[in-house]
Each structure stands twice: as structure tokens, then as C-alpha cells.
Amino acid sequence: MDPFDAGAGGLLRQPKAVWATAGASVVAFMGIGLVDPILPSIAQGLHATASQVSLLFTSYFLITAVAMLLTGFVSSRIGGRKTLLLGLAFVVVFAGLAGTSGSVGQLVGFRAGWGLGNALFVSTALAVIVGAAAGGSAAAILLYESALGLGMACGPLLGAVLGNVSWRYPFFGTATLMAIGFLCITALLKEQPKPARKTSVLDPLKALGHGGLASAAVSAFFYNYTFFTVLAFTPFVLDMTPYRSGAVFFAWGVLLAVFSVIVAPRMQARFGSLKVLGGSLVLLAADVLVLGYGGHTAAVVCTILSGAFIGVNNTVYTELALGVSDAPRPVASAGYNFVRWFAAAAAPYFAPKIEEWTDIHVPFVVAAVTAVLGALVVVVRRGALTHEAEELEPKHATEDGVGVFAN
């Protein structure tokens, strides 16, 4: 069935509950890149250094990593709807508080609470969308992935528009939009059936005992360091107004969405998952080297271009992580994300520190090295990854509630 078919079960004929959850998902994904264009403005407004402001990402993703061990535990006990609402409530409260911050320390702390809420929401949203969708999961999955791409693209744009007035406004704007999402889900979404088996906090860690899943997680750890060096450190290198920086990261997000949803599956079908992943990681390494050593125009172009490689990597990594072991896919995803999100927390902290210790080019050298290390893990451990990689189908990435933003 064509997921775009306007008939029953098509993309455009989903229940209101699906649209409400998808809409809230857009805003949740927007929150990740929201602060990108306003990082220099926050630093100026709170009299903070680049390394201090970059802790906004570190606290957010550190809490997200730890929360990955808790999301399955929580949702398997209170249900998907209540987990979504709990996550949304955390985001509304802490995003609003972030806008009132009087110091960078307060802002970092509130951003951590925001990360907990986002982890609870994002890890549950796709399972709820698929469970509430009409006519099978294909259209629901496409809707969710579209929400991911739209959110990643529009987050920097919203941050730029509101941040051009004040760095506080993007936080208030996010809190308002998520409050609307909370009301919509409360009114439109019925409770989904609870899993037959309750998930333990330790289940994701036990799943990492599988060699293939551990290999995918370690490779993704190195890759995520590169990814979030680009996302969190590049705004300081570009040194542009919020509008211009927002436009750059909007274009970056558009490429990420297109290559994740459309290009990556076609490349996998033609060349195989591991070849696509290894090649994309090497190209990303070359891209960030040029970003670090080229002029301003080259930095802008390479920042945007990195979205294409990141989109491909996100899709392939998720499919590998969810298909390579015999663990339930939500459990496998939680273990995989627990490992890789630590790199997302580390990169925003270490990149500006490395600049302080050396110069502005070296953080990108380190990011290029980590991308290559990710590719080497794929090559060395291809025996543990190859069998499942050859048999992967698109449904593996999404049907159990941990879709592309398992990425």
C-alpha cells in the first residue's frame, strides 16, 4: 500500500490522536537544535564562555543517556499515554524555567530536566503513533520520520527568529508549544495497551552483552562525538547572527531529513548497509576537516553538507542496532542509546576545551578521527554485523517504537 494514499490508513487519513502525537514530536525534535543559533547570544547575555554555554548540550544529553535505562521501565508500568504526558510536563516546566535563568549554571540545570522529559517523550512517541494508527504502520512510520526531519530542520529556525529578539524567547516558545501538545494528547489520545512483560532497568545493559549490539553502540559512540561537535561547536566557529546561523542549520536539517528518510534506504538497497555506513563515516570525517581548516564560506558549506552524511548514518545505525541482536527492539534501542548519548554529552564539553588548549582547528581534527574510528569498528566487527545487515528491512528500524530517533 502507498503510504501517501489518501484512502483509509493512508498518511493523510490518520486519527486525530496520531496527528496530535506527531505534532508534539515535531516540537520535541525542535528542542534539540533550538539553541544552536543563539549559543553566542546566550554566552553574551549571561557573560559566559563558549565552553560554559556548550554545557547546555552536555547536561541535556547526559541526562538523556541515563534516562534511556528508565524509559522502558516507566512506560511498561504506567503505559504509553501517561509516559508521553509525563515527558511533556517535564519539558514544559523546565523549558519555561530555562527562559528565566539568571546564570549559565541555572540554565544548564534546567536544560538537564528538559532532557529527562524529552527522553521520556521521544522514546515512547513512535510506539504510541504506530499503536494508534489506522491501516498498518507504514504511513504512521513515515509520519513520525517526517516529524523528526521537520523538527530537526525547524528547531534552529525557531531559535533564530525568537532568539533575535531575546535569547530567552526560544525557551518560552518551546514551553508554550509543548503545553499545547500536552493538551492535545490529553484530549485526543486514549491509553495504549501495556506490554505483557515489564521492562527492568538492567535489561538494556544486559542486551549490550551481545557482540553485534555492543559493536554498533561503540561505533555509534565515536560517530556521535563527531555529530555533536558539528551541532554544538560550529555555531561559535561560524560567528553569525542568529538569523544567518538559523538559516545554515535549517538547510542542514533539511538535508538530514531527506537523506535519512529517502536517500539512505535506496543506498542500502544498492550497496549494503555496512558499505554505506563505512563510506558515509569517512566522507563525514573529510567534511569536518575541511570545515575546520577552510575559510568561512567553506565552513558554511561543509556544515550544511554534513547533514547529508549524518542523515544516512542515523538511519543505518538505528537499523543495525535494532536488528543485530535477539533482544526486544525497545530494549536493544535503550542499551544502544545509553552508550552513544554519552558521546553527545562529551563532544559539546570537550570541543571548546580543546580549542582553549590548542586552537580552533584541532576540535575538528578530533571529530574527524572519531568518525574514522567509528568506521574502523564497522570494518573490524563486520562479522558480528554482516548477517543482520544483509537481511534488514525498513520495518526493523521502527515497528517496535524506537524509530529513527533512536537516533
Side-chain angles (χ1 to χ4, degrees), residues 131-393:
S137 62
I141 289 168
L142 181 60
L143 186 63
Y144 179 85
E145 293 182 344
S146 300
L148 163 65
L150 185 62
M152 291 295 286
C154 291
L157 208 57
L158 177 67
V161 172
L162 296 179
N164 198 57
V165 181
S166 168
W167 66 262
R168 300 180 186 273
Y169 283 17
F171 299 107
F172 294 140
T174 299
T176 301
L177 290 172
M178 285 304 238
I180 294 171
F182 184 97
L183 294 175
C184 290
I185 289 177
T186 300
L188 300 175
L189 180 65
K190 297 180 180 179
E191 185 56 84
Q192 306 296 298
K194 296 179 183 179
R197 176 181 174 274
K198 293 181 179 179
T199 301
S200 163
V201 173
L202 296 179
D203 283 349
L205 296 178
K206 293 176 182 177
L208 288 170
H210 186 279
L213 181 60
S215 299
V218 170
S219 178
F221 174 90
F222 288 122
Y223 154 65
N224 261 38
Y225 186 95
T226 309
F227 177 178
F228 285 94
T229 296
V230 173
L231 190 62
F233 184 64
T234 301
F236 293 104
V237 176
L238 297 179
D239 193 23
M240 302 167 77
T241 64
Y243 273 132
R244 291 185 177 182
S245 183
V248 169
F249 279 96
F250 173 74
W252 169 87
V254 169
L255 276 187
L256 186 154
V258 170
F259 275 75
S260 177
V261 177
I262 298 174
V263 178
R266 296 181 181 182
M267 293 178 65
Q268 287 174 272
R270 182 170 182 179
F271 301 108
S273 294
L274 298 186
K275 289 181 180 179
V276 169
L277 182 58
S280 181
L281 286 168
V282 171
L283 290 174
L284 178 61
D287 181 79
V288 296
L289 277 179
V290 177
L291 196 166
Y293 280 93
H296 190 266
T297 300
V300 170
V301 171
C302 288
T303 299
I304 295 172
L305 184 60
S306 70
F309 306 124
I310 289 169
V312 170
N313 294 339
N314 284 352
T315 295
V316 181
Y317 269 121
T318 300
E319 294 186 0
L320 286 176
L322 301 182
V324 75
S325 75
D326 55 2
R329 289 170 187 159
V331 173
S333 176
Y336 159 78
N337 281 294
F338 173 73
V339 173
R340 75 188 189 89
W341 282 127
F342 279 109
Y349 175 78
F350 283 111
K353 285 293 184 183
I354 292 170
E355 180 200 8
E356 292 174 10
W357 298 332
T358 55
D359 60 49
I360 200 169
H361 307 296
V362 177
F364 295 100
V365 175
V366 175
V369 170
T370 55
V372 172
L373 287 174
L376 285 175
V377 172
V378 171
V379 172
V380 172
R381 296 290 296 165
R382 62 186 180 278
L385 298 169
T386 297
H387 177 69
E388 193 62 38
E390 290 174 346
E391 297 182 355
L392 283 172
E393 297 177 7

